[in-house]
Amino acid sequence: MSAHCMLTGAQPGFGNTISHSHRRTSRRFDPNIQSKRYWLPSEGRYVRLKLSTKGIKTVDTIGVEAAVARIRARGVKV
């Protein structure tokens, strides 16, 4: 599960690539996952999160403490 956002839960989507001759081959649409390090003041340490770009914007809006609380509520270890 490498292409998976810890905060938003974004996962790959699946579909078909359609060629000029209209042959269909399977493909996957991966979310834009980035690994980002945040300082967590309550624990006095850095945490490395694998987030989509939408997840990074969400952390900028709600703050890292609330984001880590949401991630832990989903059952993901941080």
Side-chain angles (χ1 to χ4, degrees), residues 11-71:
Q11 295 177 345
F14 294 91
N16 291 312
T17 299
I18 302 180
S19 69
H20 179 70
S21 65
H22 217 63
R23 290 187 69 142
R24 291 173 170 88
T25 54
S26 182
R27 65 160 293 181
R28 67 188 243 171
F29 298 89
D30 286 331
N32 189 2
I33 300 294
Q34 307 292 323
S35 181
K36 193 150 170 61
R37 195 174 79 144
Y38 290 99
W39 174 252
L40 197 59
S42 64
E43 297 181 14
R45 67 183 182 103
Y46 285 99
V47 290
R48 189 170 298 276
L49 304 176
K50 291 180 75 173
L51 301 171
S52 62
T53 50
K54 182 179 177 182
I56 292 172
K57 292 174 189 173
T58 303
V59 170
D60 291 342
T61 303
I62 67 173
V64 68
E65 296 285 344
V68 168
R70 282 189 194 179
I71 292 169

